[in-house]
Amino acid sequence: MGFIGKFLVFGAGLALLVGAGIGGLWYKLSQPAPIPKLELQYWGPGKAKADDITIKPFKINVSNEVLEDLRDRLDLLPPLTPPLEGANFRYGFNSDYLQKVVQFWQNEYDWRSRETFLNSLPQFSTQVGGLQLHFIHAKPREVPAGVRVLPLLLLHGWPGSVREFYELIPLLTAARPGAGFVFEVVAPSLPGFGFSEGAAKPGLGPAQMGVLFRALMERLGHKEFYVQGGDWGHVIGSAMATLFPKSVLGFHTNMVFLTTPLSQFRLLLGSFIPSLVVEPEHYNKVYPIVKNFMYILEESGYFHLQTTKPDTVGVSLRDSAVGLAAYILEKFSTWTDKDWRSLPDGNLEKKFSLTNLLDNVMIYWVSGSITTSMRLYSEAFTKQYLGLQIDSVPCIVPTAVANFPNELSYTPKKIAEDKYRNLVQFSHLPRGGHFAAFEEPQLLANDLWDAVENIRKIRFQSLSKIKK
């Protein structure tokens, strides 16, 4: 046979062994996890007791004492540490620009007028799982003949709030010419966020929140509904679509983030054969892995802190209004466009007004909810929660993904399909970042309308085939 022949035989054998090993690993990783069964639990203080199921009107009405205390804190702000020369936003929120934000807060921002604005959408509260939940409930003012009203659960993330949805909701509750449906929007503050009560007991992770929201929707008379979410809203909505496929008619997300062993294995294989994973035009959003990983690492310091010690950092943020503003607003710069780190003002006012941004900060401040909001990170990464393996359970609910180009990370369609087995829409939007509803409400609304239209068509076609 000779040396060359033996070498070729050895190489072929090695290739077969490697191929068999990869195939076996792929098979093992692709096996679905069992669907966990989660029931409604009591998360309130003390012993479990029955919920007060009354749905009560809610108005934001902050006391003068809280506002006077805030004014005093802003007035007594000590000198801030000057930024490094040329550092801009690379070391965090630039303190020179922060002075401008504080001055605007003191002299131009008017909470009472903003309070009136925030109360312009109908709001309510009710007790679910022992927690008082706050939610916006916006219905269409006019419903043309033949148009169906579809319930939509709209879920925010961190460091956002329902404030992100005020420009989006009117675009969803107004009937569109030629459309056969319009939305009735339910937008709750997540437990521990804003005006929703935080858990008194450990363990309230994203999936458990999904159980609460399913119960909320049923209390409002909606046994079937659509879900839209980004950030934690994606995680909660994805869990709901996975656990309750008979309740969730369709799931729309503007941020897919999967960390399953299979998704990581796919990404690794894609380093050698990118076509197995990602579309050529989006290669740079995924590879090289090291470059993209380093960016995530640079921007995830908050994540590690909030996952491990949310209560410690919460003390500082609850004590300092300016510290809270810097901590939150920095994300609205960097997460909207990472290149804005190189600008002295973080380009914060290019896509947002200081008034709108401070609305969101104020919701955290006046409700005192920053600590309870950050606990969600810790709850989502406990051994018990990760043991549920929800991302490894296939989701059969019709799902649509809206990819905004400046999102923190990108999940290729082929990886998304491992989780979402009925992916009906995977779109790429022309602009926008992490806070899509706040930054580009029209683009997000258009994509959501298109997604629900596609889902309804598919359902109608399926029903027609069954009848035949």
Side-chain angles (χ1 to χ4, degrees):
M1 180 180 290
F3 173 76
I4 294 178
K6 291 180 179 179
F7 179 79
L8 291 174
V9 170
F10 172 77
L14 182 62
L16 286 172
L17 286 174
V18 171
I22 291 175
L25 182 58
W26 185 286
Y27 176 79
K28 182 177 180 180
L29 294 177
S30 62
Q31 295 306 297
I35 301 176
K37 294 183 179 180
L38 298 181
E39 303 292 338
L40 184 63
Q41 295 177 248
Y42 179 80
W43 299 101
K47 294 182 179 180
K49 49 189 175 183
D51 286 331
D52 177 1
I53 64 173
T54 307
I55 298 173
K56 303 172 183 177
F58 182 94
K59 287 285 185 182
I60 303 171
N61 185 19
V62 178
S63 69
N64 289 328
E65 288 77 13
V66 170
L67 298 179
E68 290 168 4
D69 173 73
L70 172 61
R71 191 176 301 112
D72 290 342
R73 290 172 187 266
L74 297 179
D75 290 342
L76 295 174
L77 177 69
L80 299 174
T81 303
L84 294 171
E85 294 178 2
N88 300 316
F89 262 56
R90 285 192 291 269
Y91 281 67
F93 205 100
N94 185 287
S95 56
D96 284 346
Y97 180 64
L98 184 57
Q99 291 282 10
K100 176 187 174 181
V101 174
V102 173
Q103 291 171 6
F104 179 89
W105 204 352
Q106 291 172 304
N107 303 317
E108 298 182 52
Y109 184 82
D110 179 8
W111 170 253
R112 288 305 181 198
S113 67
R114 302 310 297 168
E115 194 174 60
T116 300
F117 167 74
L118 293 172
N119 283 326
S120 64
L121 290 177
Q123 295 165 66
F124 303 86
S125 70
T126 191
Q127 194 175 55
V128 184
L131 302 179
Q132 203 68 31
L133 298 185
H134 159 263
F135 59 98
I136 294 170
H137 192 180
K139 300 179 180 181
R141 293 185 178 180
E142 296 182 8
V143 180
V147 171
R148 187 173 179 181
V149 178
L150 304 180
L152 171 68
L153 179 66
L154 200 55
L155 300 172
H156 67 82
W158 188 94
S161 66
V162 292
R163 174 61 188 91
E164 296 177 73
F165 300 140
Y166 272 69
E167 287 73 27
L168 175 66
I169 288 174
L171 301 176
L172 301 175
T173 55
R176 288 192 169 190
F181 61 92
V182 68
F183 296 103
E184 172 185 334
V185 176
V186 178
S189 296
L190 304 186
F193 288 68
F195 305 109
S196 281
E197 187 179 2
K201 297 171 173 59
L204 183 57
Q208 290 82 3
M209 287 189 180
V211 175
L212 294 178
F213 290 141
R214 181 198 187 200
L216 171 64
M217 294 300 283
E218 288 184 345
R219 187 172 300 175
L220 295 174
H222 303 307
K223 292 187 176 181
E224 295 181 324
F225 49 89
Y226 291 84
V227 180
Q228 199 289 325
D231 194 85
W232 283 116
H234 158 77
V235 181
I236 297 167
S238 179
M240 294 181 72
T242 301
L243 298 173
F244 310 122
K246 293 183 179 179
S247 298
V248 179
L249 294 169
F251 175 47
H252 182 277
T253 175
N254 54 283
M255 182 187 177
V256 173
F257 186 71
L258 298 171
T259 57
T260 62
L262 179 60
S263 67
Q264 300 309 303
F265 184 57
R266 266 190 179 273
L267 286 174
L268 181 61
L269 281 181
S271 298
F272 304 98
I273 312 175
S275 60
L276 291 176
V277 174
V278 65
E279 311 85 358
E281 62 271 26
H282 301 295
Y283 176 87
N284 290 335
K285 295 179 181 179
V286 182
Y287 299 108
I289 287 179
V290 173
K291 178 183 176 182
N292 287 283
F293 175 76
M294 288 305 297
Y295 166 65
I296 294 296
L297 190 64
E298 288 174 9
E299 295 302 324
S300 61
Y302 82 98
F303 181 92
H304 298 286
L305 190 59
Q306 293 173 197
T307 300
T308 56
K309 298 293 186 288
D311 286 25
T312 302
V313 67
V315 173
S316 299
L317 298 176
R318 183 68 188 100
D319 183 63
S320 171
V322 175
L324 178 68
Y327 195 71
I328 289 177
L329 295 184
E330 182 238 316
K331 306 307 179 192
F332 282 87
S333 168
T334 305
W335 293 1
T336 301
D337 191 324
K338 64 182 179 181
D339 292 336
W340 291 356
R341 293 178 296 180
S342 63
L343 300 172
D345 62 354
N347 227 8
L348 198 58
E349 295 175 71
K350 180 175 182 179
K351 289 294 189 75
F352 311 104
S353 71
L354 287 182
T355 295
N356 291 349
L357 289 169
L358 285 174
D359 287 346
N360 183 62
V361 173
M362 285 291 287
I363 287 175
Y364 279 91
W365 180 258
V366 301
S367 65
S369 63
I370 186 61
T371 301
T372 51
S373 73
M374 294 188 297
R375 286 176 182 163
L376 178 53
Y377 287 80
S378 185
E379 300 294 3
F381 288 91
T382 63
K383 182 179 180 180
Q384 292 79 7
Y385 189 84
L386 294 176
L388 296 176
Q389 300 185 73
I390 290 178
D391 275 354
S392 295
V393 180
C395 176
I396 61 173
V397 167
T399 299
V401 177
N403 294 285
F404 286 82
N406 292 325
E407 183 55 271
L408 293 169
S409 63
Y410 177 71
T411 298
K413 184 178 181 181
K414 291 180 181 179
I415 291 181
E417 286 174 331
D418 288 336
K419 165 68 178 175
Y420 305 104
R421 303 297 174 87
N422 193 2
L423 192 60
V424 301
Q425 184 171 298
F426 195 82
S427 55
H428 292 88
L429 286 300
R431 60 186 181 275
H434 185 70
F435 302 99
F438 208 20
E439 180 193 353
E440 295 288 350
Q442 188 67 65
L443 287 180
L444 183 62
N446 291 346
D447 198 83
L448 178 54
W449 278 88
D450 290 345
V452 173
E453 179 68 29
N454 287 334
I455 291 170
R456 283 168 55 82
K457 284 181 180 178
I458 292 171
R459 286 186 176 276
F460 178 77
Q461 292 169 357
S462 298
L463 289 173
S464 297
K465 290 180 180 179
I466 291 174
K467 290 179 180 179
K468 289 180 181 180

